[in-house]
Amino acid sequence: MPLTPEQQAEIDALRAQSRPTLRAVAEGMEAHLYTAYPVLDHGFVRVIDYMGDDAAITQAARVSYGRGTKAVSNDEGLIRYLMRHWHSTPFEMCELKLHVKLPVFVARQWIRHRTANVNEYSARYSILDREFYIPRPEDLAAQSTVNNQGRGEALSGEEAARVLEYLKGDAARTYDHYEEMIGQEGQQGLARELARMNLPANIYTQWYWKVDLHNLFHFLRLRADAHAQYEIRVYAEEICRLVKDWVPYAYGAFEDYRLGGATLSGKALDCLRRMLKGEEVTQETSGMSKGEWREFQGVVD
Amino acid sequence: MPLTPEQQAEIDALRAQSRPTLRAVAEGMEAHLYTAYPVLDHGFVRVIDYMGDDAAITQAARVSYGRGTKAVSNDEGLIRYLMRHWHSTPFEMCELKLHVKLPVFVARQWIRHRTANVNEYSARYSILDREFYIPRPEDLAAQSTVNNQGRGEALSGEEAARVLEYLKGDAARTYDHYEEMIGQEGQQGLARELARMNLPANIYTQWYWKVDLHNLFHFLRLRADAHAQYEIRVYAEEICRLVKDWVPYAYGAFEDYRLGGATLSGKALDCLRRMLKGEEVTQETSGMSKGEWREFQGVVD
Amino acid sequence: MPLTPEQQAEIDALRAQSRPTLRAVAEGMEAHLYTAYPVLDHGFVRVIDYMGDDAAITQAARVSYGRGTKAVSNDEGLIRYLMRHWHSTPFEMCELKLHVKLPVFVARQWIRHRTANVNEYSARYSILDREFYIPRPEDLAAQSTVNNQGRGEALSGEEAARVLEYLKGDAARTYDHYEEMIGQEGQQGLARELARMNLPANIYTQWYWKVDLHNLFHFLRLRADAHAQYEIRVYAEEICRLVKDWVPYAYGAFEDYRLGGATLSGKALDCLRRMLKGEEVTQETSGMSKGEWREFQGVVD
Amino acid sequence: MPLTPEQQAEIDALRAQSRPTLRAVAEGMEAHLYTAYPVLDHGFVRVIDYMGDDAAITQAARVSYGRGTKAVSNDEGLIRYLMRHWHSTPFEMCELKLHVKLPVFVARQWIRHRTANVNEYSARYSILDREFYIPRPEDLAAQSTVNNQGRGEALSGEEAARVLEYLKGDAARTYDHYEEMIGQEGQQGLARELARMNLPANIYTQWYWKVDLHNLFHFLRLRADAHAQYEIRVYAEEICRLVKDWVPYAYGAFEDYRLGGATLSGKALDCLRRMLKGEEVTQETSGMSKGEWREFQGVVD
């Protein structure tokens, strides 16, 4: 369980206080606010704040004076139109602020999305907790044999046991030494900013992360994808669930046009048109490389 | 008055509806929400939405679980510390969304601040209104004689009258022609995206503009400055007034460290230290160029 | 002709001086450096500087020590792979700096692409030239009757003539008044930063614009598209021609996967799969709206 | 020594090939190109490419047709003026591309500077080398007793020895286990993307990092500062040395106005003016907090 009783009490206190506002309110998101939804063994995602709702997207697209819509059905149609035609600026008018607890190696992937605001827990200033990500046996995957950047089957029993032993043992030992090095009883105590270098990448960190909806969708498209590393994908999937309750029309359009869609090259479109006319097209006659052809098959089959 | 009765009714409707939320609420900003505060002759600034308050800044700086503060006094001290030491990320955790109506030549300066989200009224899609910025006589300034990029005294009566006549006459004529060109009675009607090219830069446009507090402060420091062009400065000043009511601690720190502060070069600091020891320092002995020395005098005198 | 003899002499002088460098050199681009390629009636695009070539993309993707490639064929394959899988960061390792002269209403669209560096000619500081974009008769398009944001046929003779007369006459008159207002003979002279507001949006401005290749491709995809306004599209097309000579592999991949490609939604992919199996699919049975169906037909027909 | 003979040969090959270019060439930087300058025990910084020189800054500021300058002395004066008045866009017209090898915990600080382009060596795809940062004894600093985020004296002999033993031992053991886990002899072999989680933050990574000069100066101001962590400061200092040879005027202005300068608050300026008039000002009569007063003393003493 990732929260102490004190932390849970702070969250409960926030969830108990409701105040009036004139701003756009998304009921679906109010229900999630502050709650820490668990991800992996010690991580979580929780919504700290949000700005806007589905109507805020169309309101901005129309630069309107009021709530910005005549009929609800119009909103959905307009949102789908905006998504389909890559009009990104109206989606930037919604904003989400999350508190995330995550292993450092996941954080290192996550931070590569630059168009977001981040405040991370400082290991120069503070002491990190003794919490490490240890995969479940079924998540201990072997290196993929077909893809240099991917996973294959789960490791078999004995090998898996050895790996878990290494991961747990090294985490415990390096953290023991971290604690010893910064300790100040009977010694000077190593600076925290130095001692942290001994900690492995499966230690947990946490941050506040704030992003607009357009850039969040970009993040989710890449990280909720089947090719993303499992350990970041589970965070992305948890966020998808929250976004769906926050801006259901926008999320629906995102699901259809981005998550469930595919981009085809000019060559692939040519092949498609030939195939629709009844022609038999093979990799040799497609003009595509083997890799492209395989991916194309994956899309149309 | 920049609003039609219908627009005012839409605003009033929004101001009449209060709903409960669990999010951080800034009372000072709730009082301003949706109201169109006039700027220049037809422009306005109005707050559409905001995220966060002073406590949200310290909460993010501490990556905390609850509201993030023990005592209110701590919040102010921490905010001043963060501002003083250029810790910008906690200020990025607050966000403001404005609806602004402004002349095109002001919009062209404004848009140079890139780290913001914008949805502008589309003159490809829609027809612009017949509204032009015509300066008040006291704002019809002469070219500065000392600064290529500045203003001097207000023009004298007859010259001012001639200028106003030109501005009004040209605005009226170009708009008449714009309307005629896009008109579809008895003719095809020129495409809007082309016809708009006939309109001068004092015509009004409008947009939704969303920005985080750090980047807003950067905008305000440059645009609320005495050297900024008057026509954008009045917008910046109006926004300052709103921000002060929204995040009073952060605004106070901004006022002290940025608006009211000054950056001194290594050379200037050397001179200062010599002067504080009683030495008489002149431009010749300062190591500074004439321009730098003049600016230095302006700071310390 | 957009250049004065003095300007042409400055360009010729730069083109005459060659110096040795150890950096990556793209012969295709060296041939274009500094030359002002005309666009519209008074505009141009010219390359001021560039960083990198095709090999620089793969070199960065591999974080390599040397030039980063074994065989040239590998480079092309890797570049196509990176483009196909939306790996954007290696393309960010190339950079282009342009000097562009363009009408203000085009500049206003262009500047919406935020991830770029811009230095624009200052009308606060300097005096604008008397140069206005006046469309050729065949470019004087009527408002589209099917698309609020588009053009239809060219205007017929008499209407076209009237439009041209308005555009030319208003440009001349507003510029005369601009000149008169800032004149300092026998009067104080209005500040330039104010006088410019009288000038219409078809006056020319110019800027230095610097952008990385990934963001340039994004710009080109939107602005070289058939739905972009003609007056910005011709700039985008000119830049496409330059980029093709600079990074031929990257441009080839861009042409195939972006310019010539299409993104299909999950619903559209479902329809495709049904159609490939021989099923007759209509808009009614497609699950798509009329607009989506029409666009889908445009892709597969 | 951080380079293998093969890597050094690749670098030597690049340094041996000179080609003609019409672009701006900075002799000072040509002399550094590709050379790997050592930083820390296994790290380095080397310049892969650059765009522009001092003249490119003034050329962009003037939006000029030729090289953009009359007299060299004018260039320096203009560059100092631009730096003094925070005109950042001309400095964005120069660009630098570096190859950096650095410990992961330094990379984690570095990456927080978002306005840059990065391609990092992928530990999902490739195997990391057995190279860890082990501080020299004199860099093994104790936690500061006055500043939660800082260092004090170097650790004394015995404690230092123990710390080094922990760092070296844990690095060796975790790397041994990393190798064992990914090994494929007689077992499936754990996926690289998982195995890397066992490696501590002092392991070395490497990346290509590209940034414009304005944002580079921002990075250097924060990271070459006395308060920056030593291990990132040495990288910043090495880069300062390179930039000084690349754009000497811009670097000189940066050194005077940013590195050697200080920003004073409105309150501090008030005190200064009082002190210059001969008044004795103390913390109590200054209106400043103790912390502010201490920092103010540090600036003026």
Side-chain angles (χ1 to χ4, degrees):
Chain A
M1 173 55 197
L3 297 176
T4 65
E6 290 73 28
Q7 289 162 353
Q8 189 57 55
E10 289 194 82
I11 291 173
D12 293 345
L14 287 170
R15 284 208 52 82
Q17 304 176 330
S18 168
R19 295 171 67 186
T21 186
L22 296 175
R23 293 173 290 169
V25 172
E27 300 300 350
M29 205 54 151
E30 293 284 334
H32 292 302
L33 269 172
Y34 306 131
T35 304
Y37 292 107
V39 184
L40 298 180
D41 50 357
H42 299 289
F44 61 71
V45 168
R46 64 191 198 102
V47 180
I48 296 299
D49 208 341
Y50 67 89
M51 175 189 276
D53 55 7
D54 273 326
I57 298 166
T58 57
Q59 186 187 16
R62 295 179 178 124
V63 193
S64 62
Y65 283 79
R67 190 63 83 207
T69 178
K70 270 94 214 193
V72 161
S73 64
N74 286 350
D75 268 2
E76 186 176 8
L78 177 52
I79 283 174
R80 288 183 64 85
Y81 176 90
L82 295 169
M83 181 71 76
R84 197 157 74 243
H85 292 96
W86 305 89
H87 288 289
S88 53
T89 55
F91 296 100
E92 295 174 6
M93 288 288 149
C94 292
E95 192 92 13
L96 185 64
K97 193 196 297 181
L98 301 174
H99 180 187
V100 187
K101 189 171 164 191
L102 70 179
V104 162
F105 71 95
V106 174
R108 293 240 294 138
Q109 285 191 355
W110 194 307
I111 200 79
R112 297 307 326 282
H113 297 264
R114 287 162 294 182
T115 313
N117 311 115
V118 185
N119 280 271
E120 185 173 356
Y121 186 85
S122 169
R124 288 186 74 191
Y125 190 88
S126 307
I127 299 171
L128 288 167
D129 288 332
R130 185 194 283 267
E131 286 181 318
F132 296 87
Y133 168 58
I134 304 294
R136 296 175 303 180
E138 63 264 39
D139 298 328
L140 273 183
Q143 178 70 25
S144 165
T145 51
V146 295
N147 181 349
N148 267 332
Q149 185 177 326
R151 299 188 184 188
E153 302 289 296
L155 297 185
S156 68
E158 202 185 334
E159 188 180 349
R162 199 164 51 239
V163 163
L164 285 178
E165 197 185 307
Y166 284 157
L167 293 175
K168 286 180 190 170
D170 287 350
R173 189 181 305 100
T174 55
Y175 193 88
D176 286 346
H177 293 163
Y178 168 70
E179 264 191 325
E180 265 192 63
M181 291 191 287
I182 60 177
Q184 297 187 318
E185 280 195 52
Q187 63 175 14
Q188 292 170 275
L190 185 64
R192 286 166 201 163
E193 67 179 29
L194 282 171
R196 60 169 165 168
M197 79 167 78
N198 201 52
L199 294 168
N202 58 340
I203 196 164
Y204 275 87
T205 183
Q206 44 184 299
W207 60 34
Y208 271 51
W209 189 66
K210 177 171 148 288
V211 67
D212 68 61
L213 184 58
H214 166 67
N215 282 288
L216 179 58
F217 278 149
H218 186 67
F219 173 86
L220 294 176
R221 180 161 69 103
L222 295 176
R223 302 307 181 176
D225 185 89
H227 296 89
Q229 181 165 355
Y230 168 77
E231 281 77 18
I232 195 167
R233 200 168 69 231
V234 287
Y235 284 89
E237 287 168 353
E238 190 62 32
I239 297 174
C240 280
R241 208 175 56 80
L242 297 166
V243 174
K244 189 175 188 171
D245 287 347
W246 173 30
V247 282
Y249 292 154
Y251 187 80
F254 166 69
E255 209 169 21
D256 190 19
Y257 293 116
R258 298 287 181 275
L259 277 190
T263 299
L264 297 178
S265 70
K267 279 181 192 162
L269 291 174
D270 272 348
C271 290
L272 256 187
R273 289 185 203 108
R274 286 158 62 196
M275 288 157 74
L276 286 170
K277 283 185 190 133
E279 187 181 333
E280 182 94 11
V281 181
T282 64
Q283 189 244 313
E284 287 71 24
T285 64
S286 71
M288 292 189 238
S289 72
K290 280 184 187 169
E292 287 176 80
W293 179 253
R294 198 185 326 115
E295 290 165 26
F296 175 67
Q297 298 281 83
V299 168
V300 296
D301 265 12
Chain B
M1 174 52 197
L3 297 176
T4 65
E6 289 74 25
Q7 289 161 352
Q8 189 57 55
E10 289 194 81
I11 291 172
D12 293 346
L14 287 170
R15 284 206 55 80
Q17 306 176 328
S18 169
R19 295 170 67 186
T21 186
L22 295 175
R23 292 173 291 168
V25 172
E27 300 300 349
M29 205 53 151
E30 292 284 334
H32 292 303
L33 267 173
Y34 307 129
T35 305
Y37 292 107
V39 184
L40 298 180
D41 49 357
H42 299 289
F44 61 71
V45 169
R46 65 191 197 101
V47 180
I48 296 299
D49 208 340
Y50 67 90
M51 175 189 275
D53 55 7
D54 272 327
I57 297 166
T58 57
Q59 185 187 15
R62 295 179 178 122
V63 192
S64 61
Y65 283 81
R67 188 64 84 208
T69 178
K70 270 93 215 194
V72 162
S73 64
N74 285 352
D75 268 1
E76 185 175 10
L78 177 51
I79 284 174
R80 288 182 63 85
Y81 175 90
L82 295 169
M83 180 72 76
R84 195 158 75 243
H85 291 95
W86 305 90
H87 289 289
S88 52
T89 55
F91 296 100
E92 296 174 7
M93 288 287 149
C94 293
E95 192 90 14
L96 185 64
K97 194 196 294 180
L98 301 175
H99 180 187
V100 187
K101 189 171 163 191
L102 71 179
V104 162
F105 72 96
V106 174
R108 295 239 295 138
Q109 286 191 355
W110 195 306
I111 200 79
R112 296 309 324 282
H113 297 265
R114 286 162 294 180
T115 312
N117 311 113
V118 185
N119 280 272
E120 186 174 355
Y121 186 85
S122 168
R124 288 185 75 191
Y125 190 87
S126 308
I127 299 171
L128 289 167
D129 288 331
R130 185 192 282 268
E131 285 181 318
F132 295 86
Y133 169 58
I134 305 294
R136 296 173 305 179
E138 63 265 37
D139 297 328
L140 274 182
Q143 178 69 25
S144 166
T145 52
V146 295
N147 181 348
N148 267 332
Q149 185 178 326
R151 299 185 185 191
E153 301 289 295
L155 297 185
S156 69
E158 203 185 333
E159 187 181 347
R162 200 164 50 239
V163 163
L164 286 177
E165 198 184 306
Y166 285 156
L167 292 176
K168 288 179 188 169
D170 287 350
R173 191 181 304 101
T174 54
Y175 194 88
D176 286 346
H177 292 164
Y178 168 70
E179 266 192 323
E180 266 192 64
M181 290 191 288
I182 59 177
Q184 296 186 319
E185 282 197 48
Q187 65 176 14
Q188 292 171 273
L190 184 65
R192 285 165 202 165
E193 67 178 29
L194 282 170
R196 62 170 164 166
M197 79 167 77
N198 202 51
L199 295 167
N202 58 342
I203 196 163
Y204 275 88
T205 184
Q206 45 184 298
W207 60 33
Y208 271 50
W209 189 66
K210 176 169 149 290
V211 68
D212 68 62
L213 184 58
H214 167 67
N215 281 288
L216 179 58
F217 278 149
H218 186 68
F219 173 86
L220 295 176
R221 179 162 69 104
L222 294 176
R223 303 306 181 176
D225 185 89
H227 295 91
Q229 181 164 355
Y230 168 78
E231 281 77 17
I232 196 167
R233 200 169 69 232
V234 287
Y235 284 89
E237 287 167 353
E238 190 64 31
I239 297 173
C240 280
R241 207 175 57 80
L242 297 166
V243 174
K244 190 175 187 170
D245 286 347
W246 172 31
V247 280
Y249 293 154
Y251 187 80
F254 166 69
E255 209 168 22
D256 189 18
Y257 293 115
R258 299 285 181 276
L259 279 189
T263 299
L264 297 178
S265 70
K267 280 180 190 162
L269 292 175
D270 271 347
C271 291
L272 256 186
R273 290 184 203 109
R274 287 157 61 195
M275 289 158 74
L276 286 170
K277 285 185 189 135
E279 187 181 334
E280 183 93 13
V281 181
T282 64
Q283 190 244 311
E284 287 71 23
T285 63
S286 71
M288 292 189 238
S289 73
K290 280 184 186 169
E292 287 175 79
W293 179 254
R294 198 186 323 115
E295 291 165 26
F296 174 67
Q297 299 279 84
V299 168
V300 297
D301 264 14
Chain C
M1 173 55 195
L3 297 177
T4 66
E6 290 73 27
Q7 289 162 351
Q8 189 58 55
E10 289 194 82
I11 290 172
D12 293 345
L14 287 170
R15 283 206 54 81
Q17 306 176 331
S18 169
R19 294 171 68 186
T21 186
L22 295 174
R23 293 172 290 168
V25 172
E27 300 300 350
M29 204 54 151
E30 292 284 333
H32 292 303
L33 268 172
Y34 307 130
T35 304
Y37 292 106
V39 185
L40 298 180
D41 50 356
H42 298 288
F44 62 71
V45 169
R46 64 191 199 101
V47 180
I48 297 299
D49 209 340
Y50 68 90
M51 174 189 276
D53 54 7
D54 273 326
I57 297 166
T58 57
Q59 186 187 16
R62 296 178 177 125
V63 193
S64 61
Y65 283 79
R67 189 65 82 208
T69 177
K70 270 95 214 194
V72 162
S73 64
N74 286 352
D75 268 1
E76 185 175 9
L78 177 53
I79 284 174
R80 287 182 65 84
Y81 176 90
L82 296 168
M83 181 72 76
R84 195 158 76 243
H85 292 95
W86 305 90
H87 288 289
S88 53
T89 55
F91 296 100
E92 295 174 7
M93 288 288 149
C94 292
E95 191 91 14
L96 186 63
K97 194 197 293 181
L98 301 174
H99 180 188
V100 187
K101 188 171 164 191
L102 70 178
V104 162
F105 72 94
V106 174
R108 294 241 293 137
Q109 285 190 355
W110 194 308
I111 200 78
R112 297 308 325 283
H113 297 265
R114 286 161 295 182
T115 312
N117 310 115
V118 184
N119 280 271
E120 186 174 355
Y121 186 85
S122 168
R124 288 185 74 190
Y125 190 88
S126 308
I127 299 171
L128 289 167
D129 288 331
R130 184 193 282 270
E131 287 182 317
F132 295 86
Y133 168 58
I134 305 295
R136 296 174 304 180
E138 63 265 38
D139 298 328
L140 274 183
Q143 178 69 26
S144 165
T145 51
V146 294
N147 181 349
N148 266 331
Q149 185 177 326
R151 300 186 184 189
E153 302 288 297
L155 296 186
S156 69
E158 202 185 335
E159 187 180 348
R162 198 163 52 239
V163 163
L164 285 177
E165 197 184 308
Y166 284 156
L167 292 175
K168 287 179 190 170
D170 287 351
R173 191 181 304 101
T174 54
Y175 194 87
D176 286 347
H177 292 163
Y178 169 71
E179 264 191 325
E180 265 193 63
M181 291 190 289
I182 61 177
Q184 298 187 318
E185 280 197 50
Q187 65 175 14
Q188 293 170 273
L190 185 64
R192 287 165 201 163
E193 66 178 31
L194 282 171
R196 62 170 164 167
M197 78 167 77
N198 202 51
L199 295 167
N202 57 343
I203 195 164
Y204 276 88
T205 183
Q206 43 185 299
W207 60 33
Y208 271 51
W209 189 66
K210 177 170 147 290
V211 68
D212 68 61
L213 184 59
H214 167 66
N215 281 287
L216 179 58
F217 279 149
H218 186 69
F219 173 86
L220 295 176
R221 179 161 68 104
L222 294 176
R223 302 307 181 177
D225 184 89
H227 296 90
Q229 181 165 356
Y230 168 77
E231 281 77 17
I232 196 167
R233 201 168 68 231
V234 287
Y235 284 90
E237 287 167 353
E238 191 63 31
I239 297 172
C240 280
R241 206 175 58 80
L242 298 166
V243 174
K244 190 175 187 171
D245 286 347
W246 172 31
V247 281
Y249 292 155
Y251 187 80
F254 167 68
E255 209 167 23
D256 189 19
Y257 293 116
R258 300 285 181 274
L259 278 190
T263 299
L264 297 178
S265 68
K267 280 181 191 163
L269 291 175
D270 273 348
C271 290
L272 256 187
R273 289 185 204 108
R274 286 158 61 194
M275 288 157 74
L276 286 170
K277 284 185 189 130
E279 186 181 334
E280 182 94 12
V281 181
T282 64
Q283 189 245 312
E284 286 72 23
T285 64
S286 71
M288 292 189 238
S289 73
K290 281 185 186 167
E292 287 175 80
W293 179 254
R294 198 184 325 115
E295 292 165 25
F296 174 67
Q297 299 279 84
V299 168
V300 296
D301 266 13
Chain D
M1 174 54 197
L3 297 176
T4 65
E6 291 73 27
Q7 289 162 352
Q8 189 57 55
E10 290 194 80
I11 291 173
D12 293 344
L14 288 170
R15 283 207 54 81
Q17 305 176 329
S18 169
R19 294 170 68 184
T21 185
L22 296 174
R23 292 172 292 169
V25 172
E27 300 301 349
M29 205 54 151
E30 292 285 334
H32 292 303
L33 267 172
Y34 308 129
T35 305
Y37 292 107
V39 184
L40 298 179
D41 49 358
H42 299 289
F44 61 71
V45 169
R46 63 189 198 105
V47 179
I48 297 298
D49 208 341
Y50 67 90
M51 174 188 276
D53 54 7
D54 272 328
I57 298 166
T58 57
Q59 186 188 15
R62 295 179 178 123
V63 193
S64 60
Y65 283 81
R67 189 64 84 210
T69 177
K70 272 95 214 191
V72 162
S73 65
N74 286 351
D75 268 1
E76 185 175 10
L78 177 53
I79 283 174
R80 287 183 65 84
Y81 176 90
L82 295 169
M83 181 71 76
R84 196 159 75 245
H85 292 95
W86 305 89
H87 289 288
S88 53
T89 55
F91 296 101
E92 296 174 6
M93 288 288 149
C94 292
E95 191 91 13
L96 186 63
K97 194 196 295 181
L98 301 174
H99 181 187
V100 187
K101 189 171 164 191
L102 70 179
V104 162
F105 72 95
V106 174
R108 295 240 295 138
Q109 286 190 356
W110 195 308
I111 200 79
R112 296 307 325 282
H113 296 265
R114 286 162 294 182
T115 312
N117 311 115
V118 184
N119 280 271
E120 186 174 356
Y121 185 84
S122 169
R124 287 185 75 190
Y125 189 88
S126 308
I127 300 172
L128 289 167
D129 288 331
R130 184 193 283 269
E131 286 182 317
F132 296 86
Y133 169 58
I134 304 294
R136 297 174 303 179
E138 63 264 38
D139 298 328
L140 274 184
Q143 178 69 24
S144 166
T145 52
V146 294
N147 182 349
N148 267 332
Q149 184 178 327
R151 299 185 183 190
E153 301 289 295
L155 297 185
S156 68
E158 203 186 334
E159 187 180 348
R162 200 165 49 240
V163 163
L164 285 177
E165 196 185 309
Y166 284 157
L167 292 176
K168 287 179 191 170
D170 288 349
R173 191 180 304 100
T174 54
Y175 193 87
D176 285 346
H177 292 164
Y178 168 70
E179 265 192 325
E180 265 192 63
M181 290 190 287
I182 60 177
Q184 296 186 318
E185 281 196 49
Q187 63 175 15
Q188 292 171 275
L190 185 64
R192 287 167 199 161
E193 67 179 28
L194 282 171
R196 62 170 163 167
M197 79 167 77
N198 201 52
L199 295 167
N202 58 343
I203 196 164
Y204 275 87
T205 183
Q206 44 184 299
W207 61 33
Y208 270 51
W209 189 66
K210 178 170 147 288
V211 68
D212 68 62
L213 184 57
H214 166 67
N215 281 288
L216 179 59
F217 278 149
H218 187 68
F219 173 86
L220 295 176
R221 179 161 69 104
L222 295 176
R223 302 307 182 175
D225 186 89
H227 295 90
Q229 181 164 355
Y230 169 78
E231 281 77 17
I232 195 166
R233 200 168 70 232
V234 287
Y235 284 89
E237 286 167 354
E238 190 63 31
I239 297 173
C240 280
R241 207 175 58 80
L242 298 166
V243 174
K244 191 175 187 170
D245 287 346
W246 171 31
V247 282
Y249 292 156
Y251 187 79
F254 166 69
E255 208 167 24
D256 189 19
Y257 294 116
R258 299 286 182 276
L259 278 190
T263 299
L264 298 177
S265 70
K267 279 181 192 162
L269 291 174
D270 272 348
C271 290
L272 255 187
R273 290 184 203 108
R274 288 158 60 195
M275 288 157 74
L276 287 169
K277 284 184 188 135
E279 186 181 334
E280 183 94 12
V281 180
T282 63
Q283 189 244 313
E284 286 71 24
T285 64
S286 71
M288 290 189 238
S289 73
K290 280 183 185 167
E292 288 175 79
W293 179 253
R294 198 185 325 115
E295 291 165 24
F296 174 67
Q297 298 280 84
V299 169
V300 298
D301 264 14

